[in-house]
């Protein structure tokens, strides 16, 4: 690996209370969500995707979006984001003074129809109306390209199609782009290729990588992206946020496992790993189940163990 | 990532019946071990570490080493390996006609004393007697350097110390080297650095990387190693083989997740992934517990799902 393009700082973007909780079997009470977000605000993460202003019928777990946005303590320096599926959601997010709105559609038409219930044209038209309604507000707009590394219905998406959609986003006036591996189909070679192609075409437009660890390649994809200069990653505390098509599969890459790896590699994130680990270890009690994150169980690489007591005898 | 050093073929070396089973709570009956090894022989893996000729008191799960070695069907082209802790084990392995003996000591003195109950000098002297006793037999000798990426008692080991031990191994007459991340402490940057240093010093001496996924970095370390030309990896079906210091942590990297990633990256292994997945999915019934491997649960990236039936209505 040539590390010549390695970023000097990596931005950690926490999505646990949005992507993580979305398909949890239990509703996490509003005060627990607020406490979790407030605690995450203290760890040094750059962004927190707080919630989604989506129909409570579509995502019952996030039905308290307005209350959560109102009750959290805003820490200066942290960007508070809401996912918005449409104009109505965007207006609610703006009313709630979110710092950033995250607009999303899938590059796969089948997935967009199934997930957003819109054609690609309808989605882009929706984006246009959101851009208009956000004009003059301080909110920034990020555009997420779901299924950028593959669609569970259509399979791999051509690189040119993904880049064309990113271009459409930027033409509409969005500020930054997320390439999302919605169901964990990305592989490290594809990641390096797509991130490099994005950089060649769009220069320094801020780019986030959103990986799931569905098939065990989450951190491998991060390493591959880092090696071509990517420096913003979404991750979910504990690695929660499974895939509806893969019961038992893990979810988003785990924030604490990501920060641990970057720490070990000597890449600064500004995030307090001990604080993150304490929060990750509180999740099983909150959620009622084990978490996929590994470092919360294994401890950090640097956490040494006492040598066995009988070692001197044995060495005789 | 620059892929210019990417190997044209990767050798998959299966260790499930040795490293995988070593600390399983249950003894896997001999006929189940034999059936598993014989089935693995059909999948195209390059090597199978069959067992360890170790004291049954030290590792009760492998007390049937002699029977397993006798009962398996040797498939031409597959290298059948036994781990040997000492001269007596080596003699048993030679009597059992193993193709390769895997000798092991830890670069960390504390770990070697705790694990092998020998000083470094005693271990190397043991290696010398094994080399002598194997002379004139067709068996090849591999030397594994345990804790090469860190020791749970001592922490990181200096690169120079690891390379010096590799040199000692080669001077004694061993044919090939394994760098083992015994308790999952390696990070991708360290892996690229150590593998590159090994290559600079020892040229084309065959090198195996043995990673554990204890902290979620297993496949990330593989990608990093691949990028500097490594082409031989140990892995365990299902990812079993946990760490005694980290209850609940995963074990070796999962063979099927490794082969899946390499398939997705377009790197040939000659291994039949479908066959491996079928075997991995049989493990929970054999072992009485779930496995850490992800692809056995999530399916391959290319396994597409039917689009939801209501998609056309929804798109109106």
């Amino acid at each position: 690996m040539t590390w010549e393009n390695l970023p000097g700082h990596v931005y950690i973007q926490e999505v646990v209370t949005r992507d993580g909780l979305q398909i949890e079997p239990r509703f996490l009470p509003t005060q627990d969500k607020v406490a979790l977000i407030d605690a995450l605000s203290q760890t040094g993460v750059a962004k927190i995707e707080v919630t989604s202003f989506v129909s409570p019928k579509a995502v019952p777990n996030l039905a308290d979006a307005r209350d959560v946005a109102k009750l959290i303590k805003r820490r200066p320096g942290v960007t508070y984001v809401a996912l918005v599926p449409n104009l109505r959601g965007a207006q609610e997010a703006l009313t709630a003074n979110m710092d950033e709105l995250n607009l999303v559609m899938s590059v796969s038409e089948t997935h967009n129809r199934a997930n957003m219930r819109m054609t690609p044209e309808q989605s882009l038209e929706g984006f246009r109306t959101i851009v208009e309604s956000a004009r003059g507000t301080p909110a920034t707009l990020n555009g997420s390209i779901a299924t950028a590394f593959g669609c569970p219905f259509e399979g791999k998406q051509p690189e040119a199609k993904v880049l064309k959609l990113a271009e459409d986003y930027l033409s509409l006036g969005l500020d930054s782009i997320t390439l999302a591996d919605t169901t964990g189909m990305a592989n490290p070679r594809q990641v390096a290729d797509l991130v490099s192609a994005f950089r060649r075409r769009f220069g320094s437009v801020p780019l986030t990588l959103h990986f799931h660890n569905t098939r065990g390649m989450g951190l491998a994809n991060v390493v591959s992206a880092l090696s071509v200069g990517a420096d913003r990653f979404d991750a979910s505390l504990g690695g929660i946020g499974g895939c509806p098509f893969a019961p038992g599969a893990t979810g988003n890459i785990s924030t604490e496992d990501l920060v641990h790896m970057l720490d070990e590699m000597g890449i600064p994130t500004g995030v307090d790993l001990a604080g993150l680990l304490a929060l990750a270890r509180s999740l099983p009690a909150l959620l009622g189940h084990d978490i996929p994150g590994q470092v919360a169980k294994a401890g950090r690489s640097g956490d040494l163990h006492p040598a066995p007591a009988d070692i001197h005898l044995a060495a005789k």
Side-chain angles (χ1 to χ4, degrees), chain A residues 167-214:
Chain A
E167 193 163 273
D168 290 344
Y169 281 19
L170 296 170
S171 303
L172 284 170
L174 303 193
D175 302 296
S176 55
I177 303 282
T178 295
L179 297 176
D181 183 24
T182 310
T183 59
M185 293 172 66
N187 73 70
R189 195 166 190 169
Q190 178 190 22
V191 166
D193 289 346
L194 187 54
V195 171
S196 300
F198 184 96
R199 280 278 166 255
R200 278 194 301 274
R201 179 124 155 213
F202 302 113
S204 62
V205 168
L207 172 67
T208 292
L209 280 307
H210 176 105
F211 293 129
H212 282 239
N213 193 37
T214 319

Short mmCIF file of all heavy atoms in Angstrom, two decimals, chain A residues 167-214:
data_model
loop_
_atom_site.label_atom_id
_atom_site.label_comp_id
_atom_site.label_asym_id
_atom_site.label_seq_id
_atom_site.Cartn_x
_atom_site.Cartn_y
_atom_site.Cartn_z
N GLU A 167 -23.23 14.47 -10.58
CA GLU A 167 -23.22 15.72 -11.35
C GLU A 167 -24.58 16.41 -11.31
O GLU A 167 -24.68 17.63 -11.14
CB GLU A 167 -22.81 15.41 -12.79
CG GLU A 167 -22.45 16.62 -13.60
CD GLU A 167 -21.66 16.21 -14.83
OE1 GLU A 167 -20.43 16.10 -14.73
OE2 GLU A 167 -22.29 15.97 -15.88
N ASP A 168 -25.63 15.62 -11.44
CA ASP A 168 -27.00 16.17 -11.34
C ASP A 168 -27.20 16.84 -9.98
O ASP A 168 -27.77 17.93 -9.89
CB ASP A 168 -28.04 15.06 -11.51
CG ASP A 168 -28.10 14.52 -12.94
OD1 ASP A 168 -27.56 15.19 -13.85
OD2 ASP A 168 -28.67 13.44 -13.13
N TYR A 169 -26.74 16.18 -8.92
CA TYR A 169 -26.87 16.74 -7.57
C TYR A 169 -26.18 18.09 -7.50
O TYR A 169 -26.74 19.07 -6.98
CB TYR A 169 -26.20 15.82 -6.54
CG TYR A 169 -26.95 14.57 -6.10
CD1 TYR A 169 -28.01 14.04 -6.84
CD2 TYR A 169 -26.58 13.91 -4.93
CE1 TYR A 169 -28.65 12.89 -6.42
CE2 TYR A 169 -27.23 12.76 -4.49
CZ TYR A 169 -28.27 12.25 -5.25
OH TYR A 169 -28.90 11.11 -4.82
N LEU A 170 -24.94 18.13 -7.98
CA LEU A 170 -24.16 19.36 -7.86
C LEU A 170 -24.76 20.47 -8.74
O LEU A 170 -24.78 21.64 -8.33
CB LEU A 170 -22.69 19.10 -8.22
CG LEU A 170 -21.98 18.12 -7.26
CD1 LEU A 170 -20.62 17.70 -7.80
CD2 LEU A 170 -21.84 18.71 -5.85
N SER A 171 -25.29 20.10 -9.90
CA SER A 171 -25.93 21.09 -10.78
C SER A 171 -27.15 21.72 -10.10
O SER A 171 -27.45 22.89 -10.30
CB SER A 171 -26.40 20.44 -12.08
OG SER A 171 -25.33 19.83 -12.73
N LEU A 172 -27.85 20.91 -9.31
CA LEU A 172 -29.03 21.42 -8.61
C LEU A 172 -28.64 22.36 -7.47
O LEU A 172 -29.49 23.06 -6.92
CB LEU A 172 -29.85 20.25 -8.04
CG LEU A 172 -30.69 19.46 -9.03
CD1 LEU A 172 -31.25 18.20 -8.37
CD2 LEU A 172 -31.83 20.33 -9.57
N GLY A 173 -27.37 22.32 -7.05
CA GLY A 173 -26.93 23.23 -5.99
C GLY A 173 -26.60 22.56 -4.67
O GLY A 173 -26.40 23.23 -3.66
N LEU A 174 -26.53 21.22 -4.66
CA LEU A 174 -26.15 20.55 -3.40
C LEU A 174 -24.67 20.82 -3.11
O LEU A 174 -23.88 21.06 -4.01
CB LEU A 174 -26.41 19.05 -3.48
CG LEU A 174 -27.85 18.63 -3.82
CD1 LEU A 174 -28.05 17.13 -3.56
CD2 LEU A 174 -28.88 19.44 -3.04
N ASP A 175 -24.33 20.81 -1.81
CA ASP A 175 -22.98 21.22 -1.39
C ASP A 175 -21.97 20.08 -1.34
O ASP A 175 -20.77 20.31 -1.42
CB ASP A 175 -23.05 21.85 0.00
CG ASP A 175 -24.00 23.05 0.03
OD1 ASP A 175 -23.70 24.04 -0.66
OD2 ASP A 175 -25.05 22.97 0.71
N SER A 176 -22.45 18.88 -1.11
CA SER A 176 -21.54 17.76 -0.87
C SER A 176 -22.27 16.46 -1.21
O SER A 176 -23.49 16.44 -1.35
CB SER A 176 -21.08 17.75 0.59
OG SER A 176 -22.22 17.73 1.46
N ILE A 177 -21.48 15.39 -1.34
CA ILE A 177 -22.02 14.11 -1.84
C ILE A 177 -21.63 12.98 -0.88
O ILE A 177 -20.52 12.95 -0.34
CB ILE A 177 -21.42 13.77 -3.23
CG1 ILE A 177 -21.69 14.89 -4.24
CG2 ILE A 177 -21.91 12.41 -3.74
CD1 ILE A 177 -23.07 14.93 -4.81
N THR A 178 -22.57 12.05 -0.69
CA THR A 178 -22.26 10.78 -0.02
C THR A 178 -22.48 9.63 -0.99
O THR A 178 -23.53 9.56 -1.63
CB THR A 178 -23.17 10.57 1.21
OG1 THR A 178 -22.88 11.58 2.18
CG2 THR A 178 -22.96 9.20 1.84
N LEU A 179 -21.49 8.78 -1.11
CA LEU A 179 -21.66 7.52 -1.85
C LEU A 179 -21.97 6.44 -0.82
O LEU A 179 -21.15 6.15 0.05
CB LEU A 179 -20.39 7.17 -2.63
CG LEU A 179 -19.98 8.17 -3.72
CD1 LEU A 179 -18.64 7.75 -4.35
CD2 LEU A 179 -21.06 8.30 -4.80
N ALA A 180 -23.18 5.89 -0.91
CA ALA A 180 -23.64 4.96 0.12
C ALA A 180 -23.70 3.54 -0.41
O ALA A 180 -24.28 3.26 -1.46
CB ALA A 180 -25.02 5.38 0.62
N ASP A 181 -23.09 2.64 0.38
CA ASP A 181 -23.15 1.22 0.08
C ASP A 181 -24.29 0.63 0.92
O ASP A 181 -24.09 -0.04 1.92
CB ASP A 181 -21.81 0.57 0.46
CG ASP A 181 -21.77 -0.91 0.10
OD1 ASP A 181 -22.54 -1.32 -0.79
OD2 ASP A 181 -20.99 -1.65 0.72
N THR A 182 -25.48 0.89 0.44
CA THR A 182 -26.71 0.71 1.22
C THR A 182 -26.88 -0.69 1.80
O THR A 182 -27.36 -0.84 2.92
CB THR A 182 -27.90 1.08 0.32
OG1 THR A 182 -27.62 2.36 -0.26
CG2 THR A 182 -29.19 1.15 1.09
N THR A 183 -26.52 -1.72 1.04
CA THR A 183 -26.71 -3.08 1.55
C THR A 183 -25.38 -3.86 1.62
O THR A 183 -25.40 -5.09 1.55
CB THR A 183 -27.76 -3.86 0.72
OG1 THR A 183 -27.31 -3.92 -0.64
CG2 THR A 183 -29.11 -3.19 0.77
N GLY A 184 -24.28 -3.12 1.74
CA GLY A 184 -23.00 -3.80 1.98
C GLY A 184 -22.51 -4.64 0.83
O GLY A 184 -22.04 -5.77 1.02
N MET A 185 -22.57 -4.13 -0.40
CA MET A 185 -22.13 -4.86 -1.58
C MET A 185 -20.77 -4.41 -2.11
O MET A 185 -20.23 -5.01 -3.04
CB MET A 185 -23.18 -4.72 -2.69
CG MET A 185 -24.49 -5.41 -2.37
SD MET A 185 -25.82 -5.05 -3.57
CE MET A 185 -25.18 -5.83 -5.06
N ALA A 186 -20.23 -3.32 -1.56
CA ALA A 186 -18.98 -2.76 -2.09
C ALA A 186 -17.80 -3.67 -1.80
O ALA A 186 -17.77 -4.35 -0.78
CB ALA A 186 -18.71 -1.40 -1.47
N ASN A 187 -16.82 -3.68 -2.70
CA ASN A 187 -15.55 -4.35 -2.41
C ASN A 187 -14.42 -3.33 -2.55
O ASN A 187 -14.58 -2.29 -3.20
CB ASN A 187 -15.35 -5.57 -3.32
CG ASN A 187 -15.01 -5.20 -4.74
OD1 ASN A 187 -13.92 -4.69 -5.02
ND2 ASN A 187 -15.95 -5.40 -5.65
N PRO A 188 -13.27 -3.61 -1.92
CA PRO A 188 -12.20 -2.61 -1.83
C PRO A 188 -11.68 -2.11 -3.19
O PRO A 188 -11.33 -0.94 -3.32
CB PRO A 188 -11.10 -3.36 -1.07
CG PRO A 188 -11.83 -4.35 -0.22
CD PRO A 188 -12.98 -4.80 -1.08
N ARG A 189 -11.65 -2.97 -4.16
CA ARG A 189 -11.14 -2.54 -5.47
C ARG A 189 -12.11 -1.55 -6.12
O ARG A 189 -11.71 -0.51 -6.65
CB ARG A 189 -10.97 -3.77 -6.36
CG ARG A 189 -10.13 -3.48 -7.58
CD ARG A 189 -9.71 -4.78 -8.22
NE ARG A 189 -8.72 -4.57 -9.24
CZ ARG A 189 -8.03 -5.54 -9.82
NH1 ARG A 189 -8.23 -6.78 -9.43
NH2 ARG A 189 -7.15 -5.28 -10.75
N GLN A 190 -13.40 -1.88 -6.03
CA GLN A 190 -14.44 -1.01 -6.57
C GLN A 190 -14.43 0.35 -5.86
O GLN A 190 -14.59 1.40 -6.49
CB GLN A 190 -15.78 -1.73 -6.33
CG GLN A 190 -17.01 -0.99 -6.75
CD GLN A 190 -18.27 -1.69 -6.23
OE1 GLN A 190 -18.22 -2.45 -5.26
NE2 GLN A 190 -19.40 -1.41 -6.87
N VAL A 191 -14.22 0.32 -4.54
CA VAL A 191 -14.21 1.56 -3.75
C VAL A 191 -13.08 2.47 -4.22
O VAL A 191 -13.29 3.66 -4.48
CB VAL A 191 -14.06 1.24 -2.25
CG1 VAL A 191 -13.70 2.49 -1.45
CG2 VAL A 191 -15.34 0.60 -1.72
N ALA A 192 -11.87 1.90 -4.36
CA ALA A 192 -10.73 2.72 -4.79
C ALA A 192 -11.01 3.30 -6.18
O ALA A 192 -10.73 4.47 -6.44
CB ALA A 192 -9.46 1.88 -4.79
N ASP A 193 -11.58 2.47 -7.06
CA ASP A 193 -11.86 2.94 -8.42
C ASP A 193 -12.89 4.06 -8.43
O ASP A 193 -12.70 5.09 -9.09
CB ASP A 193 -12.39 1.76 -9.28
CG ASP A 193 -11.30 0.75 -9.60
OD1 ASP A 193 -10.10 1.07 -9.40
OD2 ASP A 193 -11.63 -0.36 -10.05
N LEU A 194 -14.00 3.88 -7.69
CA LEU A 194 -15.07 4.88 -7.73
C LEU A 194 -14.66 6.18 -7.04
O LEU A 194 -14.94 7.28 -7.54
CB LEU A 194 -16.37 4.31 -7.12
CG LEU A 194 -17.62 5.18 -7.26
CD1 LEU A 194 -17.90 5.58 -8.70
CD2 LEU A 194 -18.84 4.46 -6.68
N VAL A 195 -13.97 6.06 -5.91
CA VAL A 195 -13.53 7.27 -5.21
C VAL A 195 -12.52 8.04 -6.08
O VAL A 195 -12.59 9.27 -6.20
CB VAL A 195 -12.93 6.93 -3.82
CG1 VAL A 195 -12.28 8.15 -3.18
CG2 VAL A 195 -14.02 6.37 -2.90
N SER A 196 -11.61 7.31 -6.71
CA SER A 196 -10.63 7.97 -7.59
C SER A 196 -11.32 8.66 -8.76
O SER A 196 -10.99 9.80 -9.11
CB SER A 196 -9.62 6.95 -8.13
OG SER A 196 -8.92 6.34 -7.07
N ALA A 197 -12.30 7.98 -9.35
CA ALA A 197 -13.04 8.57 -10.48
C ALA A 197 -13.80 9.82 -10.03
O ALA A 197 -13.85 10.84 -10.74
CB ALA A 197 -14.00 7.54 -11.07
N PHE A 198 -14.38 9.75 -8.83
CA PHE A 198 -15.10 10.92 -8.28
C PHE A 198 -14.15 12.10 -8.14
O PHE A 198 -14.46 13.22 -8.55
CB PHE A 198 -15.71 10.54 -6.93
CG PHE A 198 -16.55 11.65 -6.32
CD1 PHE A 198 -17.93 11.66 -6.49
CD2 PHE A 198 -15.96 12.68 -5.58
CE1 PHE A 198 -18.71 12.68 -5.93
CE2 PHE A 198 -16.73 13.70 -5.03
CZ PHE A 198 -18.11 13.70 -5.21
N ARG A 199 -12.98 11.84 -7.58
CA ARG A 199 -11.99 12.91 -7.35
C ARG A 199 -11.53 13.53 -8.67
O ARG A 199 -11.38 14.73 -8.79
CB ARG A 199 -10.80 12.36 -6.58
CG ARG A 199 -11.03 12.24 -5.10
CD ARG A 199 -10.81 13.59 -4.40
NE ARG A 199 -11.35 13.51 -3.05
CZ ARG A 199 -12.49 14.08 -2.67
NH1 ARG A 199 -13.20 14.82 -3.51
NH2 ARG A 199 -12.92 13.97 -1.44
N ARG A 200 -11.30 12.66 -9.65
CA ARG A 200 -10.85 13.17 -10.95
C ARG A 200 -11.90 14.10 -11.56
O ARG A 200 -11.59 15.12 -12.14
CB ARG A 200 -10.60 12.01 -11.94
CG ARG A 200 -9.22 11.35 -11.77
CD ARG A 200 -8.88 10.46 -12.96
NE ARG A 200 -9.86 9.38 -13.17
CZ ARG A 200 -9.81 8.21 -12.56
NH1 ARG A 200 -8.84 7.93 -11.71
NH2 ARG A 200 -10.73 7.29 -12.79
N ARG A 201 -13.17 13.73 -11.38
CA ARG A 201 -14.23 14.50 -12.04
C ARG A 201 -14.66 15.71 -11.23
O ARG A 201 -14.98 16.75 -11.79
CB ARG A 201 -15.42 13.56 -12.26
CG ARG A 201 -16.61 14.20 -12.91
CD ARG A 201 -17.00 13.46 -14.17
NE ARG A 201 -18.39 13.64 -14.51
CZ ARG A 201 -19.15 12.74 -15.10
NH1 ARG A 201 -18.65 11.56 -15.42
NH2 ARG A 201 -20.40 13.00 -15.39
N PHE A 202 -14.69 15.59 -9.89
CA PHE A 202 -15.30 16.66 -9.08
C PHE A 202 -14.31 17.35 -8.14
O PHE A 202 -14.72 18.15 -7.30
CB PHE A 202 -16.47 16.09 -8.27
CG PHE A 202 -17.53 15.48 -9.12
CD1 PHE A 202 -17.77 14.11 -9.08
CD2 PHE A 202 -18.28 16.26 -10.00
CE1 PHE A 202 -18.75 13.53 -9.88
CE2 PHE A 202 -19.27 15.68 -10.81
CZ PHE A 202 -19.50 14.31 -10.74
N GLY A 203 -13.02 17.06 -8.30
CA GLY A 203 -11.99 17.76 -7.52
C GLY A 203 -12.26 17.68 -6.03
O GLY A 203 -12.43 16.59 -5.49
N SER A 204 -12.36 18.83 -5.38
CA SER A 204 -12.41 18.85 -3.92
C SER A 204 -13.83 18.91 -3.34
O SER A 204 -14.01 19.24 -2.18
CB SER A 204 -11.59 20.04 -3.41
OG SER A 204 -12.19 21.23 -3.89
N VAL A 205 -14.84 18.60 -4.15
CA VAL A 205 -16.21 18.53 -3.60
C VAL A 205 -16.20 17.57 -2.41
O VAL A 205 -15.71 16.45 -2.53
CB VAL A 205 -17.21 18.03 -4.67
CG1 VAL A 205 -18.55 17.69 -4.04
CG2 VAL A 205 -17.38 19.07 -5.78
N PRO A 206 -16.71 18.01 -1.24
CA PRO A 206 -16.67 17.12 -0.07
C PRO A 206 -17.40 15.80 -0.35
O PRO A 206 -18.53 15.80 -0.83
CB PRO A 206 -17.38 17.93 1.02
CG PRO A 206 -17.23 19.35 0.59
CD PRO A 206 -17.27 19.34 -0.91
N LEU A 207 -16.72 14.71 -0.05
CA LEU A 207 -17.24 13.37 -0.34
C LEU A 207 -17.24 12.53 0.94
O LEU A 207 -16.21 12.40 1.59
CB LEU A 207 -16.37 12.68 -1.39
CG LEU A 207 -16.69 11.19 -1.65
CD1 LEU A 207 -18.06 11.03 -2.30
CD2 LEU A 207 -15.60 10.55 -2.52
N THR A 208 -18.41 11.97 1.26
CA THR A 208 -18.51 11.02 2.38
C THR A 208 -18.70 9.62 1.83
O THR A 208 -19.42 9.42 0.86
CB THR A 208 -19.72 11.38 3.27
OG1 THR A 208 -19.46 12.62 3.92
CG2 THR A 208 -20.00 10.30 4.31
N LEU A 209 -18.05 8.65 2.49
CA LEU A 209 -18.31 7.24 2.19
C LEU A 209 -19.15 6.65 3.32
O LEU A 209 -18.82 6.84 4.50
CB LEU A 209 -16.99 6.46 2.06
CG LEU A 209 -16.22 6.56 0.74
CD1 LEU A 209 -17.12 6.20 -0.45
CD2 LEU A 209 -15.60 7.92 0.53
N HIS A 210 -20.19 5.97 2.92
CA HIS A 210 -21.13 5.36 3.87
C HIS A 210 -21.13 3.86 3.61
O HIS A 210 -21.70 3.40 2.62
CB HIS A 210 -22.52 5.98 3.63
CG HIS A 210 -23.63 5.40 4.47
ND1 HIS A 210 -24.16 6.08 5.55
CD2 HIS A 210 -24.31 4.24 4.38
CE1 HIS A 210 -25.13 5.35 6.10
NE2 HIS A 210 -25.24 4.22 5.41
N PHE A 211 -20.43 3.13 4.49
CA PHE A 211 -20.29 1.68 4.28
C PHE A 211 -21.09 0.89 5.31
O PHE A 211 -21.20 1.28 6.47
CB PHE A 211 -18.82 1.26 4.39
CG PHE A 211 -17.94 1.79 3.29
CD1 PHE A 211 -16.75 2.45 3.58
CD2 PHE A 211 -18.29 1.62 1.95
CE1 PHE A 211 -15.93 2.93 2.57
CE2 PHE A 211 -17.47 2.10 0.93
CZ PHE A 211 -16.29 2.76 1.24
N HIS A 212 -21.57 -0.25 4.86
CA HIS A 212 -22.15 -1.24 5.78
C HIS A 212 -21.18 -2.43 5.83
O HIS A 212 -20.45 -2.68 4.87
CB HIS A 212 -23.53 -1.69 5.29
CG HIS A 212 -24.60 -0.68 5.59
ND1 HIS A 212 -25.71 -0.96 6.34
CD2 HIS A 212 -24.72 0.62 5.25
CE1 HIS A 212 -26.48 0.12 6.45
NE2 HIS A 212 -25.89 1.10 5.78
N ASN A 213 -21.22 -3.15 6.94
CA ASN A 213 -20.31 -4.28 7.12
C ASN A 213 -21.00 -5.62 6.85
O ASN A 213 -20.57 -6.67 7.34
CB ASN A 213 -19.72 -4.26 8.54
CG ASN A 213 -18.55 -5.21 8.67
OD1 ASN A 213 -17.75 -5.34 7.74
ND2 ASN A 213 -18.45 -5.88 9.81
N THR A 214 -22.05 -5.58 6.05
CA THR A 214 -22.90 -6.74 5.81
C THR A 214 -22.12 -8.01 5.46
O THR A 214 -22.49 -9.10 5.88
CB THR A 214 -23.86 -6.41 4.64
OG1 THR A 214 -24.33 -5.07 4.81
CG2 THR A 214 -25.03 -7.37 4.60
#
